Amino acid sequence: MDDSSISFATPSLTSLQPSSINFLLTGNSNSHPIPGLTPNTLHMRVKQGSKIHNLLRIVTARFQGDRDNNRIRQVVFTGSGRGITKTITCVEILKRSVAGLHQLSKVYYKRANQDSQRETPSQVLEKRIPAIWILLSKDPLDPLEPGYQAPQRAPPESSGGLLPAGPSPKHKRLCLDGQIESHL
């Protein structure tokens, strides 16, 4: 993505140190790294303080909507800076709960203007902040697009996956006195 195409300023300021340095995120609200999104694509902006449960509740309700006008086929998760890990976590949890989702991921850098109030007030420094866009779609996507991941296949029951398909097995523990205890 060409940095010269990023040109808008969001009204929110993110303060890194109290009253000393402020960052103003800049970019173009109409430009995004994933082309061809449908108009009814849900856009979830994930921040460092976002609650994963709340985000996933909204998305799963819209994916499984009972009315056609409320139902979605695509969702885009975006996050930047310290919100990137939470963005990826939301996507991975959603992919496990909704089967057959195609994924397209794009990683890029946002520009941020840094106003230094310690030195010259008119001095503005530019900083690059990592960001990610992840599109999840029920409809097939272009597999030749960089960042594409096909839907996960359901593991066979006998594969010994991370999460058991049925009720958890009985756990046994060997005590110090040589007896075996069983726990459900």
Side-chain angles (χ1 to χ4, degrees):
M1 171 176 258
D2 182 18
D3 282 341
S4 64
S5 68
I6 299 176
S7 62
F8 82 97
T10 58
S12 62
L13 292 175
T14 305
S15 178
L16 290 182
Q17 296 175 356
S19 72
S20 63
I21 298 176
N22 289 322
F23 284 93
L24 178 65
L25 296 179
T26 60
N28 187 345
S29 61
N30 295 328
S31 72
H32 45 79
I34 301 176
L37 293 177
T38 60
N40 63 346
T41 300
L42 180 62
H43 188 170
M44 301 298 292
R45 290 179 181 91
V46 182
K47 298 180 180 179
Q48 180 182 1
S50 298
K51 302 294 181 198
I52 293 174
H53 174 73
N54 293 339
L55 295 169
L56 293 178
R57 184 177 45 88
I58 292 168
V59 174
T60 53
R62 294 288 303 272
F63 262 132
Q64 302 166 350
D66 51 0
R67 297 185 304 258
D68 286 336
N69 60 350
N70 196 23
R71 189 174 296 172
I72 59 169
R73 309 261 327 145
Q74 294 181 336
V75 62
V76 173
F77 283 90
T78 62
S80 62
R82 294 183 178 174
I84 289 178
T85 44
K86 193 166 282 195
T87 303
I88 295 169
T89 301
C90 288
V91 167
E92 293 301 323
I93 292 172
L94 187 63
K95 284 179 12 183
R96 289 193 174 127
S97 63
V98 179
L101 291 177
H102 297 263
Q103 178 179 334
L104 184 62
S105 304
K106 300 290 181 179
V107 178
Y108 65 103
Y109 285 94
K110 285 183 176 181
R111 285 188 319 179
N113 293 330
Q114 177 181 357
D115 294 328
S116 178
Q117 297 173 352
R118 290 184 194 166
E119 300 165 13
T120 310
S122 64
Q123 183 181 12
V124 177
L125 303 173
E126 189 172 288
K127 183 175 182 178
R128 293 169 28 127
I129 298 174
I132 191 166
W133 281 61
I134 303 175
L135 169 65
L136 294 176
S137 176
K138 289 183 176 182
D139 302 323
L141 300 172
D142 182 10
L144 300 176
E145 180 76 26
Y148 173 78
Q149 291 182 21
Q152 294 177 344
R153 297 196 172 146
E157 295 291 327
S158 62
S159 70
L162 296 176
L163 299 175
S168 62
K170 293 181 181 179
H171 298 284
K172 295 183 178 181
R173 180 175 69 180
L174 181 61
C175 296
L176 293 176
D177 60 0
Q179 296 181 358
I180 296 176
E181 289 183 7
S182 294
H183 298 280
L184 296 177

